[in-house]
Amino acid sequence: MIRVIRSATYPAPADQVWQTLCSLGDLALWHPAVQSSRSVDAPRAHVGAIRHVATRDGLSMEEELIAFAECDRRLELLTRTAPVPLSLMWQALTVFGVTATDGAVLRWELRADGAPDWTDRIRVWFGDGYIPAGLHGLAAHLSVQNDKPIN
């Protein structure tokens, strides 16, 4: 089992970070590794929503929103199709408010089971590449929206 947890702090309100994540089809607007993304049935997040993601390096994934908790600012995605041999890939994104700074923390967790000879490649691709790129890309996107520099 592969387990990766990464997080980032943003000088933006938690609700703004959360609303950005809830626009499932807009992933390509802020994630630099994503060439295109689209929500199949509705742009707003709801359990059962499907998102197609194509990365800039030519890979594609289909993800299903399997849990959505507005009050906890948490969503969970299950990858239905992936470009690597996986038996399971689950992601949870949770936004926490930081009262002292009126900012937010995003915690991005991934768990995956794959072919043993792919374990290290999956861990590196997601843990050192895809997820950190997304965290940084979201910071840049929020910075432009709020006219505040990235820390």
Side-chain angles (χ1 to χ4, degrees):
M1 170 75 69
I2 300 163
R3 185 169 184 202
V4 173
I5 300 172
R6 302 288 184 266
S7 62
T9 304
Y10 303 103
D15 284 336
Q16 182 183 12
V17 175
W18 173 245
Q19 293 305 318
T20 302
L21 296 178
C22 287
S23 297
L24 291 180
D26 291 343
L27 181 65
L29 294 178
W30 56 267
H31 198 306
V34 174
Q35 177 70 38
S36 65
S37 61
R38 66 179 173 84
S39 180
V40 173
D41 51 359
R44 187 78 180 137
H46 62 87
V47 172
I50 302 292
R51 172 171 71 188
H52 293 282
V53 177
T55 64
R56 295 193 185 281
D57 54 4
L59 305 176
S60 63
M61 298 179 281
E62 182 180 275
E63 301 170 324
E64 179 182 353
L65 186 64
I66 60 168
F68 181 80
E70 184 92 35
C71 61
D72 295 329
R73 295 189 197 106
R74 179 182 173 89
L75 58 85
E76 297 178 23
L77 298 159
L78 186 63
T79 300
R80 293 291 182 200
T81 60
V84 294
L86 294 169
S87 56
L88 167 77
M89 187 164 79
W90 167 91
Q91 298 175 70
L93 289 83
T94 309
V95 178
F96 301 94
V98 180
T99 307
T101 63
D102 194 31
V105 172
L106 171 57
R107 182 179 191 263
W108 191 332
E109 180 179 359
L110 173 132
R111 291 183 190 169
D113 264 337
D117 56 327
W118 276 81
T119 301
D120 288 337
R121 287 184 271 186
I122 293 167
R123 184 179 287 111
V124 168
W125 196 83
F126 284 99
D128 297 336
Y130 186 80
I131 293 174
L135 293 170
H136 291 295
L138 182 58
H141 179 75
L142 294 168
S143 176
V144 169
Q145 286 187 330
N146 294 325
D147 197 28
K148 291 182 182 178
I150 301 171
N151 291 342

